Amino acid sequence: MDAVSPRLEDLPVRDDLRGMTPYGAPQAALPVALNVNENTHPIPKDVSDDIVDAIAFALRDVNRYPDREFTHLREGFADYLGHGLTREQIWAGNGSNEVLQHLLQAFAGPGRTVFGFAPTYSMYPLLTRGTGAQWVAGTRAHDFTIAADDAVAQVAEADPDVVILCSPNNPTGTPLSLEVIDAVYARSRGIVIVDEAYWEFAPREQQSALTLLPDRERLVVSRTMSKAFAFAGARVGYLAADPALIDALRLVRLPYHLSALTQAAASAALRHAPTMLAAVDEIVVQRDRISATLAALGYNPYESWTNFVLFSGVEDPAATWQALYDRGVLIRDVGLPGSLRVTAGTEAETSAFLDALASVTPAR
């Protein structure tokens, strides 16, 4: 976490923000950084050249405000997602975190509650509290799965204004069935957000929550370009929902919130979607290789439909994390007892992690 100055408490900050710490992960210039679920494969040169050209073209009119409705980019996302979606059903922002923030600004806020099944993405509570709403944490089974009947019971008891379902889940990688999503939607009275930030890494035969959008005006499916598209530094997220829900987001977004350069870069990347996504299969191979090797070393890797693996059976997570750090490998301690999380990188990065872990793993 980033440090917060002690002098902060001397300022008239909102009472509900006192004592909070900002979101953050360790940043260190190590040879192998596998801690924040980035796509570590570089963008192919022909694609990056096209993106640079698109940005250069956009710079010619950078003295003017960008298209406030980012029409061309929304059309690109609709084409990419398919399922008969149109641009009227698409929204985008500076990373999926801003997209989620827009949703909570519009549908949460003071006096309202936001519900999610913990452990889950740590930004959900921060975004919730940042908009003045209350975060309510539900529970998962011991293996981090969620059963439909249990999910419905918990949502019924909490009666939240917004439900956020991370599918597949971060930081555990756990799949979430359409049955659970549909059951939660049927029992909810408010907005149901399905965060599919890692969906491109799920098995190809599985169906996205996008298939549930028709006739469900309170359902939202959010995505990001940060992971599968290797676009984390560009900060582009997006969602699909009913056009009326999209209209609600216009009430809270800042004017011209997506710069002309961001729109140009993202549109160019979408034109090369097959090439940009070519690394996904290789990442899945490395993810599964990590899981198999972790099991062979005596750890317990959890099922993952993402580009990372959470594993338990770590006797001293802090010491193991430090030992890997000292060997030039950065992974993530997400605060779950006896567990650590590692991103699936390139073949070389994966080998470096596995070799380093093997060197610090006690004989069993």
Side-chain angles (χ1 to χ4, degrees), residues 215-240:
D215 301 319
R216 292 177 177 85
E217 69 280 358
R218 294 178 289 106
L219 184 64
V220 181
V221 180
S222 69
R223 295 278 186 95
T224 181
M225 296 187 78
S226 295
K227 310 303 180 182
F229 273 85
F231 231 48
R235 311 306 302 128
V236 183
Y238 56 105
L239 63 76

Side-chain angles (χ1 to χ4, degrees), residues 76-91:
F77 281 131
D79 289 343
Y80 169 69
L81 292 177
H83 296 281
L85 293 169
T86 66
R87 71 187 188 197
E88 288 77 20
Q89 295 171 275
I90 302 295
W91 190 250

Side-chain angles (χ1 to χ4, degrees), residues 139-171:
T139 59
R140 295 170 176 266
H142 71 280
D143 60 355
F144 305 121
T145 58
I146 305 172
D149 56 350
D150 184 40
V152 167
Q154 292 190 54
V155 169
E157 181 177 1
D159 191 27
D161 297 280
V162 178
V163 177
I164 306 181
L165 304 172
C166 197
S167 175
N169 189 51
N170 178 17

Side-chain angles (χ1 to χ4, degrees), residues 29-53:
L30 294 186
V32 180
L34 301 173
N35 65 320
V36 289
N37 304 338
E38 296 160 319
N39 182 335
T40 64
H41 292 69
I43 293 176
K45 185 178 185 304
D46 59 332
V47 180
S48 62
D49 287 346
D50 194 22
I51 293 172
V52 169
D53 289 345

Side-chain angles (χ1 to χ4, degrees), residues 4-10:
V4 175
S5 168
R7 295 181 59 196
L8 174 63
E9 295 303 315
D10 297 330

Side-chain angles (χ1 to χ4, degrees), residues 45-353:
K45 185 178 185 304
D46 59 332
V47 180
S48 62
D49 287 346
D50 194 22
I51 293 172
V52 169
D53 289 345
I55 292 173
F57 187 83
L59 275 170
R60 300 191 305 182
D61 296 318
V62 80
N63 59 309
R64 302 290 188 178
Y65 285 116
D67 175 10
R68 185 177 59 245
E69 295 302 314
F70 44 98
T71 306
H72 182 66
L73 179 57
R74 288 163 67 202
E75 289 173 347
F77 281 131
D79 289 343
Y80 169 69
L81 292 177
H83 296 281
L85 293 169
T86 66
R87 71 187 188 197
E88 288 77 20
Q89 295 171 275
I90 302 295
W91 190 250
N94 295 285
S96 59
N97 286 330
E98 184 178 57
V99 167
L100 294 171
Q101 184 180 56
H102 286 165
L103 287 165
L104 296 185
Q105 286 175 317
F107 297 104
R112 296 192 172 195
T113 57
V114 180
F115 179 92
F117 295 95
T120 193
Y121 183 33
S122 58
M123 273 302 299
Y124 298 156
L126 291 177
L127 289 168
T128 297
R129 293 164 187 153
T131 58
Q134 179 185 359
W135 171 256
V136 179
T139 59
R140 295 170 176 266
H142 71 280
D143 60 355
F144 305 121
T145 58
I146 305 172
D149 56 350
D150 184 40
V152 167
Q154 292 190 54
V155 169
E157 181 177 1
D159 191 27
D161 297 280
V162 178
V163 177
I164 306 181
L165 304 172
C166 197
S167 175
N169 189 51
N170 178 17
T172 64
T174 315
L176 184 67
S177 71
L178 293 184
E179 177 192 9
V180 172
I181 296 170
D182 194 27
V184 167
Y185 182 88
R187 186 59 184 83
S188 302
R189 60 178 174 79
I191 300 301
V192 176
I193 304 167
V194 183
D195 182 358
E196 291 190 339
Y198 297 91
W199 184 257
E200 285 89 347
F201 301 99
R204 298 288 174 82
E205 68 274 11
Q206 298 298 322
Q207 288 190 317
S208 161
L210 292 169
T211 60
L212 298 177
L213 282 176
D215 301 319
R216 292 177 177 85
E217 69 280 358
R218 294 178 289 106
L219 184 64
V220 181
V221 180
S222 69
R223 295 278 186 95
T224 181
M225 296 187 78
S226 295
K227 310 303 180 182
F229 273 85
F231 231 48
R235 311 306 302 128
V236 183
Y238 56 105
L239 63 76
D242 186 87
L245 192 146
I246 302 299
D247 282 341
L249 304 184
R250 290 187 174 88
L251 301 175
V252 297
R253 61 96 176 266
L254 295 175
Y256 312 104
H257 71 285
L258 275 181
S259 77
L261 306 186
T262 297
Q263 293 181 43
S267 294
L270 282 171
R271 288 197 295 270
H272 295 274
T275 302
M276 295 286 278
L277 295 174
V280 168
D281 288 342
E282 170 60 19
I283 292 170
V284 169
V285 168
Q286 298 307 319
R287 179 197 71 197
D288 294 345
R289 176 186 169 208
I290 289 172
S291 295
T293 306
L294 286 170
L297 290 172
Y299 297 102
N300 175 35
Y302 291 94
E303 181 182 10
S304 175
W305 283 12
T306 65
N307 69 336
F308 61 81
V309 178
L310 177 75
F311 59 102
S312 62
V314 186
E315 292 183 5
D316 189 336
T320 300
W321 183 93
Q322 186 64 54
L324 293 172
Y325 183 97
D326 294 342
R327 287 161 173 78
V329 178
L330 183 63
I331 65 170
R332 188 77 174 266
D333 184 344
V334 294
L336 296 176
S339 301
L340 291 169
R341 191 192 70 190
V342 60
T343 306
T346 63
E347 182 178 5
E349 290 169 329
T350 298
S351 295
F353 160 69

